[in-house]
Structures are given as C-alpha cells and as structure tokens.
Amino acid sequence: KQEVTQIPAALSVPEGENLVLNCSFTDSAIYNLQWFRQDPGKGLTSLLLIQSSQREQTSGRLNASLDKSSGRSTLYIAASQPGDSATYLCAVTYSGNTPLVFGKGTRLSVIA
Amino acid sequence: GAVVSQHPSRVICKSGTSVKIECRSLDFQATTMFWYRQFPKQSLMLMATSNEGSKATYEQGVEKDKFLINHASLTLSTLTVTSAHPEDSSFYICSARDARGAGNTIYFGEGSWLTVV
C-alpha cells in the first residue's frame, strides 16, 4: 500500500526561525510530489510541485527538496512568520492520471 | 492561474435529504476530477475519481449509491450526498487535474462544509 508519512505532526516555533518539515513515501516510483498549505476550515493551496526528475524547487522563502531514491522530501521555510501558521500537506502521485496520496500533514504554529 | 471553484462553501441539511456539491474548473478543461473527504484534524481521504463522460471510480469502502458523482462536462463535476445522515457531516474537497504543459498540476477547490442535522 502506498503511504505518505509526515514528521513532525505538529511544530511550534518562534518567529524568524528557519524550519524543516519532513515527508517520506513508501513507493519511490513517484511521478511528482506536491506540497500544499491548508488553513483551518479552508481548501488547499499548492506551494511547490517537484517532478520526479527534479531535486528541488524554490518559491520565495520556501524550498522543497526531493530524494526519490530514498523516498524523502523536505520543505524548508526560511525566516518564519506568524502568517506561515497552517497545516502543510505533502502528497505524491504515481502517474499523470492517478490521484494524489496525502500525508496527514504537519500543523505549524509560528509564535510572534 | 488555474482556479477551481467549489459551491456551496457551507451547507446545512436535514437528515434524510440530499445535497449536491459542485466543482468547476474555471479556466481549463479537466477530464479528471477527484473528490476527497476530510474529517477534523485528519488528512484528505480520496472518495472517488470522476472522469468526464464515464462512470466514476470509487475507492474501497465508499458507497457509490450514496455518493453520486456526475462529470457531465469538461469543467463541471458534481457530488450528491443522498439520504444524508449526521455521520456524513464532513469537509468535502474536489480537485481537478490541469494536463496542460508537463506538470499535470492538480488544483483544489475551497472545500464544502456539510453539516447534517
């Protein structure tokens, strides 16, 4: 069974700190991997998408890396801000037509 | 950028009635849409894959006669919760695949809160 695991489940940091969220997947034959942000009671916002042939993607203060062979991805957030507080979800897909398989997410709180 | 619209955002219905949730891709054609369900503080659970012009593919344990999915056009898929019960109260989210380019990016709607009383 394809599974996605995210560690830690919850994280609280002071404002300004750099942080790393971890994601691992059991089947390394992924098509691509996406990181999403979800605010309480809201839908998902796509943050970064990494194709299986890529090793990282960057957007502003966010950097996502992918090590396909070891089945791991990390999301690095630089200089965290209270507005970054949300749940971050990692998801993989195994072909161009199959649905995403989600992890349970990491709930991030950035304290001012 | 691509946008997926979901309506209604919140709905309250009486037990035993049916509720329809719409999912629209606003600036791209989506041959495939996905419906997810999310319980509080849990991750998204795939319910079914909706394919335009054909029957939806349901995940194991999801009752196809209770959760009716129709994908009648390339921009619209609907989920109808039939004979709703309080245990159907949940957050339902749709997503649509944008196959343009090489990304096959999936975009999500804002979700629909269903409360059955």
Side-chain angles (χ1 to χ4, degrees), chain B residues 49-75:
Chain B
T49 300
S50 171
N51 298 298
E52 187 269 335
S54 64
K55 292 182 179 180
T57 303
Y58 289 82
E59 294 300 298
Q60 189 174 9
V62 179
E63 298 176 60
K64 63 179 182 180
D65 294 329
K66 180 168 184 62
F67 299 101
L68 299 178
I69 292 174
N70 183 276
H71 195 153
S73 77
L74 286 171
T75 60

Side-chain angles (χ1 to χ4, degrees), chain A residues 6 29 33 62 95 104:
Chain A
Q6 290 188 245
L33 179 147
L62 306 179
S95 78
K104 292 185 177 181

Side-chain angles (χ1 to χ4, degrees), chain B residues 10-72:
Chain B
R10 290 183 179 274
V11 58
I12 300 173
C13 72
K14 291 183 177 180
S15 186
T17 62
S18 296
V19 174
K20 180 184 287 187
I21 301 170
E22 294 185 346
C23 179
R24 294 180 184 271
S25 56
L26 297 184
D27 62 355
F28 66 94
Q29 294 182 333
T31 55
T32 304
M33 292 185 175
F34 304 98
W35 287 95
Y36 293 84
R37 181 174 183 176
Q38 186 179 35
F39 292 105
K41 297 186 178 181
Q42 297 294 315
S43 190
L44 279 71
M45 182 182 73
L46 179 68
M47 297 176 67
T49 300
S50 171
N51 298 298
E52 187 269 335
S54 64
K55 292 182 179 180
T57 303
Y58 289 82
E59 294 300 298
Q60 189 174 9
V62 179
E63 298 176 60
K64 63 179 182 180
D65 294 329
K66 180 168 184 62
F67 299 101
L68 299 178
I69 292 174
N70 183 276
H71 195 153

Side-chain angles (χ1 to χ4, degrees), chain A residues 4 10 24 28 31 36-37 46 52 54 56 63 71 76 81 87 89 110:
Chain A
V4 177
S24 61
S28 63
Y31 181 78
F36 294 88
R37 168 184 173 139
S46 179
S52 61
Q54 298 174 326
E56 67 175 348
N63 176 276
Y76 175 83
Q81 302 171 357
T87 296
L89 294 162
V110 181

Side-chain angles (χ1 to χ4, degrees), chain A residues 76-99:
Chain A
Y76 175 83
I77 302 178
S80 59
Q81 302 171 357
D84 295 331
S85 298
T87 296
Y88 290 82
L89 294 162
C90 169
V92 299
T93 186
Y94 289 91
S95 78
N97 295 312
T98 53

